[in-house]
Amino acid sequence: MSDVEVLIQEPFKVGESPVWDAEHGRLLFCDALAGTIHAIDPKTRARRVWEFGAHVGSFGLAQRGRWVVAIGCAVHLFDPATGKSELLVQCEPERPEWRLNDGKVGPDGAFWVGTMGPRGMEPVGTLYRVTTDGRAEKKIEGLRITNGLAWSPDGRTMYHAETRTRAIDAWDFDATTGAIANPRRFPSIPDEDGAPDGAATDSAGDYWAAGLWGSRINRFAPDGRLVGHLPVPVTMPTMPCFGGDDMRTLFITSLSQYASDEVKRDYPLTGSLLM
C-alpha cells in the first residue's frame, strides 16, 4: 500500500476513463454522472474541468488536440481549447434513455464504445466501432455493461469485459480493418477479486482490470491466468491507466455513487483518484 498515492482526494460520483495525455503531460478522466472531464498535472497538481451537462461515459484522444467523447448515447468530437462540439453519430437514436459506457480509441484509429440499457441488467447493449466519418458498426451484441476495453501492445488482440456476468474475453484483432474474431474467455474470476470493470494493458502484454467491489486491480497474463493483484484503498476502483513521463505510473479512478455510509466510513478515500 505504500506505493499507492492519492492524486485527488475527492468523492467523485463515478470516476472513469483515465487517459494519459502525453503531449501536455497530464491525466484526463471523467466523472460520468457529473458530466465532467477533468485534467490534472501529476507534478504540479494543477487542475481544469470541462462541463458537458449530460452523462459522459468515456472519451479518447483525437487528432488536432480534440477528444472523442461519449455523451449520453451519442459520440461527439470536442475541442477542449474552444469548447466547440461536433456530433459524430447517435448510436441508439430510437432509445434516448440508453447511454454509452466504456469506450477507447483502438489501434485501428476508431472509437470503440458500448451501449447499455437504463439499469444495465438486460442483455440489450452493443459494442460499436465508430469511425472518423461517423459510421457506427455493430461488433458485439447482447451485452449488459461493456467494460474492460484494451488492446495488446502489438494491436493483434482486443480485450472486452462484461461486468454483470464477470466475463473477460480476448478477441483476435485486425488493426487495418477493425475486424474481430475467435473470442476466448478467461477462466472464472473468484468473488473476492471483484467484478471486472475498466482495464489497461502494459508493455509486456499483461491485462490489468479493476476489480469492482474487490479493492484491487487484477493482473492477468495474455492467456487469462491471474498472475497478481494490486490492493487499493477503495472498494470500487473503476479503471487503471498507465502514464507519466516513463509510462510506469498506474492511475486509478474510483466511484462513490453506490457506496453505503458504512463503506464510506471504512474507506474514506472512496471515489478518489489514485496513482
PDB file of all heavy atoms in Angstrom, residues 172-201:
ATOM      1  N   ASP A 172      -9.187 -11.958 -31.423  1.00  0.00           N
ATOM      2  CA  ASP A 172      -8.220 -11.615 -32.462  1.00  0.00           C
ATOM      3  C   ASP A 172      -8.641 -10.292 -33.073  1.00  0.00           C
ATOM      4  O   ASP A 172      -9.839 -10.069 -33.320  1.00  0.00           O
ATOM      5  CB  ASP A 172      -8.165 -12.695 -33.550  1.00  0.00           C
ATOM      6  CG  ASP A 172      -7.570 -13.998 -33.045  1.00  0.00           C
ATOM      7  OD1 ASP A 172      -6.882 -13.981 -32.004  1.00  0.00           O
ATOM      8  OD2 ASP A 172      -7.799 -15.034 -33.706  1.00  0.00           O
ATOM      9  N   PHE A 173      -7.671  -9.411 -33.336  1.00  0.00           N
ATOM     10  CA  PHE A 173      -7.995  -8.065 -33.803  1.00  0.00           C
ATOM     11  C   PHE A 173      -7.161  -7.726 -35.033  1.00  0.00           C
ATOM     12  O   PHE A 173      -5.955  -7.969 -35.071  1.00  0.00           O
ATOM     13  CB  PHE A 173      -7.708  -7.046 -32.690  1.00  0.00           C
ATOM     14  CG  PHE A 173      -8.172  -5.648 -32.995  1.00  0.00           C
ATOM     15  CD1 PHE A 173      -9.494  -5.283 -32.825  1.00  0.00           C
ATOM     16  CD2 PHE A 173      -7.276  -4.690 -33.469  1.00  0.00           C
ATOM     17  CE1 PHE A 173      -9.920  -4.000 -33.104  1.00  0.00           C
ATOM     18  CE2 PHE A 173      -7.690  -3.407 -33.750  1.00  0.00           C
ATOM     19  CZ  PHE A 173      -9.027  -3.060 -33.569  1.00  0.00           C
ATOM     20  N   ASP A 174      -7.817  -7.154 -36.038  1.00  0.00           N
ATOM     21  CA  ASP A 174      -7.155  -6.689 -37.246  1.00  0.00           C
ATOM     22  C   ASP A 174      -7.120  -5.164 -37.203  1.00  0.00           C
ATOM     23  O   ASP A 174      -8.154  -4.508 -37.365  1.00  0.00           O
ATOM     24  CB  ASP A 174      -7.914  -7.173 -38.492  1.00  0.00           C
ATOM     25  CG  ASP A 174      -7.172  -6.878 -39.789  1.00  0.00           C
ATOM     26  OD1 ASP A 174      -6.511  -5.818 -39.888  1.00  0.00           O
ATOM     27  OD2 ASP A 174      -7.263  -7.703 -40.717  1.00  0.00           O
ATOM     28  N   ALA A 175      -5.935  -4.593 -36.978  1.00  0.00           N
ATOM     29  CA  ALA A 175      -5.809  -3.147 -36.832  1.00  0.00           C
ATOM     30  C   ALA A 175      -6.010  -2.404 -38.144  1.00  0.00           C
ATOM     31  O   ALA A 175      -6.183  -1.182 -38.137  1.00  0.00           O
ATOM     32  CB  ALA A 175      -4.443  -2.799 -36.248  1.00  0.00           C
ATOM     33  N   THR A 176      -6.023  -3.111 -39.260  1.00  0.00           N
ATOM     34  CA  THR A 176      -6.249  -2.470 -40.553  1.00  0.00           C
ATOM     35  C   THR A 176      -7.733  -2.296 -40.838  1.00  0.00           C
ATOM     36  O   THR A 176      -8.176  -1.237 -41.296  1.00  0.00           O
ATOM     37  CB  THR A 176      -5.608  -3.284 -41.691  1.00  0.00           C
ATOM     38  OG1 THR A 176      -4.203  -3.416 -41.444  1.00  0.00           O
ATOM     39  CG2 THR A 176      -5.821  -2.601 -43.036  1.00  0.00           C
ATOM     40  N   THR A 177      -8.508  -3.326 -40.532  1.00  0.00           N
ATOM     41  CA  THR A 177      -9.934  -3.308 -40.859  1.00  0.00           C
ATOM     42  C   THR A 177     -10.836  -3.152 -39.643  1.00  0.00           C
ATOM     43  O   THR A 177     -12.021  -2.838 -39.780  1.00  0.00           O
ATOM     44  CB  THR A 177     -10.319  -4.607 -41.579  1.00  0.00           C
ATOM     45  OG1 THR A 177     -10.135  -5.710 -40.665  1.00  0.00           O
ATOM     46  CG2 THR A 177      -9.457  -4.820 -42.812  1.00  0.00           C
ATOM     47  N   GLY A 178     -10.306  -3.406 -38.431  1.00  0.00           N
ATOM     48  CA  GLY A 178     -11.129  -3.380 -37.235  1.00  0.00           C
ATOM     49  C   GLY A 178     -11.935  -4.651 -37.049  1.00  0.00           C
ATOM     50  O   GLY A 178     -12.841  -4.699 -36.202  1.00  0.00           O
ATOM     51  N   ALA A 179     -11.606  -5.703 -37.788  1.00  0.00           N
ATOM     52  CA  ALA A 179     -12.326  -6.970 -37.660  1.00  0.00           C
ATOM     53  C   ALA A 179     -11.906  -7.683 -36.376  1.00  0.00           C
ATOM     54  O   ALA A 179     -10.742  -7.630 -35.976  1.00  0.00           O
ATOM     55  CB  ALA A 179     -12.055  -7.860 -38.869  1.00  0.00           C
ATOM     56  N   ILE A 180     -12.868  -8.350 -35.718  1.00  0.00           N
ATOM     57  CA  ILE A 180     -12.575  -9.155 -34.544  1.00  0.00           C
ATOM     58  C   ILE A 180     -13.066 -10.577 -34.785  1.00  0.00           C
ATOM     59  O   ILE A 180     -14.033 -10.802 -35.517  1.00  0.00           O
ATOM     60  CB  ILE A 180     -13.222  -8.581 -33.266  1.00  0.00           C
ATOM     61  CG1 ILE A 180     -14.740  -8.448 -33.418  1.00  0.00           C
ATOM     62  CG2 ILE A 180     -12.610  -7.237 -32.912  1.00  0.00           C
ATOM     63  CD1 ILE A 180     -15.455  -8.004 -32.134  1.00  0.00           C
ATOM     64  N   ALA A 181     -12.374 -11.554 -34.180  1.00  0.00           N
ATOM     65  CA  ALA A 181     -12.727 -12.954 -34.404  1.00  0.00           C
ATOM     66  C   ALA A 181     -12.152 -13.810 -33.279  1.00  0.00           C
ATOM     67  O   ALA A 181     -11.316 -13.364 -32.498  1.00  0.00           O
ATOM     68  CB  ALA A 181     -12.187 -13.428 -35.755  1.00  0.00           C
ATOM     69  N   ASN A 182     -12.625 -15.046 -33.222  1.00  0.00           N
ATOM     70  CA  ASN A 182     -12.052 -16.074 -32.346  1.00  0.00           C
ATOM     71  C   ASN A 182     -12.015 -15.661 -30.874  1.00  0.00           C
ATOM     72  O   ASN A 182     -10.956 -15.594 -30.259  1.00  0.00           O
ATOM     73  CB  ASN A 182     -10.641 -16.429 -32.825  1.00  0.00           C
ATOM     74  CG  ASN A 182     -10.060 -17.630 -32.090  1.00  0.00           C
ATOM     75  OD1 ASN A 182     -10.803 -18.519 -31.648  1.00  0.00           O
ATOM     76  ND2 ASN A 182      -8.752 -17.656 -31.937  1.00  0.00           N
ATOM     77  N   PRO A 183     -13.166 -15.377 -30.247  1.00  0.00           N
ATOM     78  CA  PRO A 183     -13.161 -14.985 -28.829  1.00  0.00           C
ATOM     79  C   PRO A 183     -12.753 -16.139 -27.911  1.00  0.00           C
ATOM     80  O   PRO A 183     -13.138 -17.289 -28.132  1.00  0.00           O
ATOM     81  CB  PRO A 183     -14.608 -14.568 -28.577  1.00  0.00           C
ATOM     82  CG  PRO A 183     -15.398 -15.328 -29.598  1.00  0.00           C
ATOM     83  CD  PRO A 183     -14.529 -15.424 -30.814  1.00  0.00           C
ATOM     84  N   ARG A 184     -11.930 -15.813 -26.902  1.00  0.00           N
ATOM     85  CA  ARG A 184     -11.518 -16.788 -25.888  1.00  0.00           C
ATOM     86  C   ARG A 184     -11.840 -16.206 -24.522  1.00  0.00           C
ATOM     87  O   ARG A 184     -11.437 -15.083 -24.224  1.00  0.00           O
ATOM     88  CB  ARG A 184     -10.012 -17.066 -25.941  1.00  0.00           C
ATOM     89  CG  ARG A 184      -9.554 -17.821 -27.180  1.00  0.00           C
ATOM     90  CD  ARG A 184      -9.195 -16.911 -28.322  1.00  0.00           C
ATOM     91  NE  ARG A 184      -8.045 -16.052 -28.031  1.00  0.00           N
ATOM     92  CZ  ARG A 184      -7.695 -15.014 -28.777  1.00  0.00           C
ATOM     93  NH1 ARG A 184      -8.437 -14.666 -29.821  1.00  0.00           N
ATOM     94  NH2 ARG A 184      -6.629 -14.306 -28.462  1.00  0.00           N
ATOM     95  N   ARG A 185     -12.535 -16.966 -23.690  1.00  0.00           N
ATOM     96  CA  ARG A 185     -12.944 -16.462 -22.375  1.00  0.00           C
ATOM     97  C   ARG A 185     -11.887 -16.783 -21.319  1.00  0.00           C
ATOM     98  O   ARG A 185     -11.337 -17.885 -21.261  1.00  0.00           O
ATOM     99  CB  ARG A 185     -14.285 -17.056 -21.970  1.00  0.00           C
ATOM    100  CG  ARG A 185     -14.789 -16.587 -20.606  1.00  0.00           C
ATOM    101  CD  ARG A 185     -16.277 -16.449 -20.599  1.00  0.00           C
ATOM    102  NE  ARG A 185     -16.750 -15.442 -21.542  1.00  0.00           N
ATOM    103  CZ  ARG A 185     -18.030 -15.164 -21.753  1.00  0.00           C
ATOM    104  NH1 ARG A 185     -18.971 -15.801 -21.060  1.00  0.00           N
ATOM    105  NH2 ARG A 185     -18.390 -14.237 -22.627  1.00  0.00           N
ATOM    106  N   PHE A 186     -11.587 -15.776 -20.472  1.00  0.00           N
ATOM    107  CA  PHE A 186     -10.698 -16.004 -19.339  1.00  0.00           C
ATOM    108  C   PHE A 186     -11.363 -16.983 -18.366  1.00  0.00           C
ATOM    109  O   PHE A 186     -12.593 -17.081 -18.321  1.00  0.00           O
ATOM    110  CB  PHE A 186     -10.430 -14.692 -18.603  1.00  0.00           C
ATOM    111  CG  PHE A 186      -9.414 -13.799 -19.269  1.00  0.00           C
ATOM    112  CD1 PHE A 186      -9.026 -13.981 -20.580  1.00  0.00           C
ATOM    113  CD2 PHE A 186      -8.846 -12.751 -18.558  1.00  0.00           C
ATOM    114  CE1 PHE A 186      -8.103 -13.154 -21.188  1.00  0.00           C
ATOM    115  CE2 PHE A 186      -7.911 -11.917 -19.151  1.00  0.00           C
ATOM    116  CZ  PHE A 186      -7.536 -12.111 -20.469  1.00  0.00           C
ATOM    117  N   PRO A 187     -10.570 -17.703 -17.572  1.00  0.00           N
ATOM    118  CA  PRO A 187     -11.161 -18.536 -16.522  1.00  0.00           C
ATOM    119  C   PRO A 187     -12.022 -17.690 -15.594  1.00  0.00           C
ATOM    120  O   PRO A 187     -11.863 -16.474 -15.509  1.00  0.00           O
ATOM    121  CB  PRO A 187      -9.937 -19.098 -15.795  1.00  0.00           C
ATOM    122  CG  PRO A 187      -8.835 -19.043 -16.809  1.00  0.00           C
ATOM    123  CD  PRO A 187      -9.103 -17.813 -17.619  1.00  0.00           C
ATOM    124  N   SER A 188     -12.946 -18.351 -14.888  1.00  0.00           N
ATOM    125  CA  SER A 188     -13.865 -17.634 -13.996  1.00  0.00           C
ATOM    126  C   SER A 188     -13.099 -16.864 -12.934  1.00  0.00           C
ATOM    127  O   SER A 188     -12.034 -17.283 -12.470  1.00  0.00           O
ATOM    128  CB  SER A 188     -14.828 -18.620 -13.329  1.00  0.00           C
ATOM    129  OG  SER A 188     -14.108 -19.586 -12.583  1.00  0.00           O
ATOM    130  N   ILE A 189     -13.642 -15.714 -12.561  1.00  0.00           N
ATOM    131  CA  ILE A 189     -12.995 -14.807 -11.607  1.00  0.00           C
ATOM    132  C   ILE A 189     -13.635 -14.991 -10.234  1.00  0.00           C
ATOM    133  O   ILE A 189     -14.853 -14.829 -10.088  1.00  0.00           O
ATOM    134  CB  ILE A 189     -13.144 -13.351 -12.082  1.00  0.00           C
ATOM    135  CG1 ILE A 189     -12.533 -13.194 -13.477  1.00  0.00           C
ATOM    136  CG2 ILE A 189     -12.484 -12.389 -11.101  1.00  0.00           C
ATOM    137  CD1 ILE A 189     -12.828 -11.867 -14.123  1.00  0.00           C
ATOM    138  N   PRO A 190     -12.857 -15.331  -9.204  1.00  0.00           N
ATOM    139  CA  PRO A 190     -13.422 -15.503  -7.860  1.00  0.00           C
ATOM    140  C   PRO A 190     -14.087 -14.226  -7.361  1.00  0.00           C
ATOM    141  O   PRO A 190     -13.692 -13.120  -7.719  1.00  0.00           O
ATOM    142  CB  PRO A 190     -12.191 -15.864  -7.008  1.00  0.00           C
ATOM    143  CG  PRO A 190     -11.183 -16.387  -7.974  1.00  0.00           C
ATOM    144  CD  PRO A 190     -11.419 -15.626  -9.244  1.00  0.00           C
ATOM    145  N   ASP A 191     -15.098 -14.381  -6.517  1.00  0.00           N
ATOM    146  CA  ASP A 191     -15.837 -13.238  -5.995  1.00  0.00           C
ATOM    147  C   ASP A 191     -14.930 -12.235  -5.296  1.00  0.00           C
ATOM    148  O   ASP A 191     -15.129 -11.019  -5.396  1.00  0.00           O
ATOM    149  CB  ASP A 191     -16.920 -13.711  -5.022  1.00  0.00           C
ATOM    150  CG  ASP A 191     -18.069 -14.410  -5.739  1.00  0.00           C
ATOM    151  OD1 ASP A 191     -18.158 -14.287  -6.972  1.00  0.00           O
ATOM    152  OD2 ASP A 191     -18.864 -15.075  -5.055  1.00  0.00           O
ATOM    153  N   GLU A 192     -13.930 -12.731  -4.566  1.00  0.00           N
ATOM    154  CA  GLU A 192     -13.074 -11.828  -3.800  1.00  0.00           C
ATOM    155  C   GLU A 192     -12.215 -10.927  -4.691  1.00  0.00           C
ATOM    156  O   GLU A 192     -11.674  -9.920  -4.228  1.00  0.00           O
ATOM    157  CB  GLU A 192     -12.170 -12.611  -2.845  1.00  0.00           C
ATOM    158  CG  GLU A 192     -11.228 -13.587  -3.514  1.00  0.00           C
ATOM    159  CD  GLU A 192     -11.801 -14.988  -3.615  1.00  0.00           C
ATOM    160  OE1 GLU A 192     -13.045 -15.126  -3.607  1.00  0.00           O
ATOM    161  OE2 GLU A 192     -11.007 -15.936  -3.698  1.00  0.00           O
ATOM    162  N   ASP A 193     -12.090 -11.282  -5.972  1.00  0.00           N
ATOM    163  CA  ASP A 193     -11.313 -10.442  -6.888  1.00  0.00           C
ATOM    164  C   ASP A 193     -12.136  -9.318  -7.487  1.00  0.00           C
ATOM    165  O   ASP A 193     -11.612  -8.474  -8.205  1.00  0.00           O
ATOM    166  CB  ASP A 193     -10.708 -11.303  -8.012  1.00  0.00           C
ATOM    167  CG  ASP A 193      -9.615 -12.223  -7.504  1.00  0.00           C
ATOM    168  OD1 ASP A 193      -8.924 -11.832  -6.552  1.00  0.00           O
ATOM    169  OD2 ASP A 193      -9.456 -13.324  -8.044  1.00  0.00           O
ATOM    170  N   GLY A 194     -13.426  -9.298  -7.204  1.00  0.00           N
ATOM    171  CA  GLY A 194     -14.276  -8.228  -7.703  1.00  0.00           C
ATOM    172  C   GLY A 194     -14.763  -8.484  -9.124  1.00  0.00           C
ATOM    173  O   GLY A 194     -14.260  -9.356  -9.831  1.00  0.00           O
ATOM    174  N   ALA A 195     -15.734  -7.707  -9.549  1.00  0.00           N
ATOM    175  CA  ALA A 195     -16.257  -7.804 -10.909  1.00  0.00           C
ATOM    176  C   ALA A 195     -15.382  -6.978 -11.842  1.00  0.00           C
ATOM    177  O   ALA A 195     -14.973  -5.871 -11.497  1.00  0.00           O
ATOM    178  CB  ALA A 195     -17.696  -7.312 -10.955  1.00  0.00           C
ATOM    179  N   PRO A 196     -15.066  -7.482 -13.041  1.00  0.00           N
ATOM    180  CA  PRO A 196     -14.177  -6.745 -13.948  1.00  0.00           C
ATOM    181  C   PRO A 196     -14.815  -5.454 -14.438  1.00  0.00           C
ATOM    182  O   PRO A 196     -15.943  -5.453 -14.931  1.00  0.00           O
ATOM    183  CB  PRO A 196     -13.932  -7.731 -15.094  1.00  0.00           C
ATOM    184  CG  PRO A 196     -15.135  -8.621 -15.076  1.00  0.00           C
ATOM    185  CD  PRO A 196     -15.520  -8.746 -13.636  1.00  0.00           C
ATOM    186  N   ASP A 197     -14.076  -4.368 -14.293  1.00  0.00           N
ATOM    187  CA  ASP A 197     -14.531  -3.061 -14.765  1.00  0.00           C
ATOM    188  C   ASP A 197     -13.550  -2.599 -15.844  1.00  0.00           C
ATOM    189  O   ASP A 197     -13.164  -3.369 -16.707  1.00  0.00           O
ATOM    190  CB  ASP A 197     -14.627  -2.082 -13.598  1.00  0.00           C
ATOM    191  CG  ASP A 197     -15.614  -0.953 -13.862  1.00  0.00           C
ATOM    192  OD1 ASP A 197     -15.527  -0.333 -14.940  1.00  0.00           O
ATOM    193  OD2 ASP A 197     -16.450  -0.674 -12.998  1.00  0.00           O
ATOM    194  N   GLY A 198     -13.101  -1.340 -15.796  1.00  0.00           N
ATOM    195  CA  GLY A 198     -12.182  -0.842 -16.802  1.00  0.00           C
ATOM    196  C   GLY A 198     -10.827  -1.511 -16.713  1.00  0.00           C
ATOM    197  O   GLY A 198     -10.462  -2.090 -15.680  1.00  0.00           O
ATOM    198  N   ALA A 199     -10.047  -1.423 -17.795  1.00  0.00           N
ATOM    199  CA  ALA A 199      -8.779  -2.143 -17.832  1.00  0.00           C
ATOM    200  C   ALA A 199      -7.754  -1.430 -18.706  1.00  0.00           C
ATOM    201  O   ALA A 199      -8.069  -0.489 -19.435  1.00  0.00           O
ATOM    202  CB  ALA A 199      -8.999  -3.568 -18.338  1.00  0.00           C
ATOM    203  N   ALA A 200      -6.518  -1.908 -18.617  1.00  0.00           N
ATOM    204  CA  ALA A 200      -5.411  -1.402 -19.434  1.00  0.00           C
ATOM    205  C   ALA A 200      -4.402  -2.524 -19.605  1.00  0.00           C
ATOM    206  O   ALA A 200      -4.335  -3.449 -18.784  1.00  0.00           O
ATOM    207  CB  ALA A 200      -4.747  -0.197 -18.758  1.00  0.00           C
ATOM    208  N   THR A 201      -3.606  -2.471 -20.666  1.00  0.00           N
ATOM    209  CA  THR A 201      -2.526  -3.430 -20.859  1.00  0.00           C
ATOM    210  C   THR A 201      -1.190  -2.741 -20.647  1.00  0.00           C
ATOM    211  O   THR A 201      -1.054  -1.539 -20.872  1.00  0.00           O
ATOM    212  CB  THR A 201      -2.562  -4.053 -22.265  1.00  0.00           C
ATOM    213  OG1 THR A 201      -2.641  -3.005 -23.235  1.00  0.00           O
ATOM    214  CG2 THR A 201      -3.749  -4.986 -22.424  1.00  0.00           C
TER     215      THR A 201
END
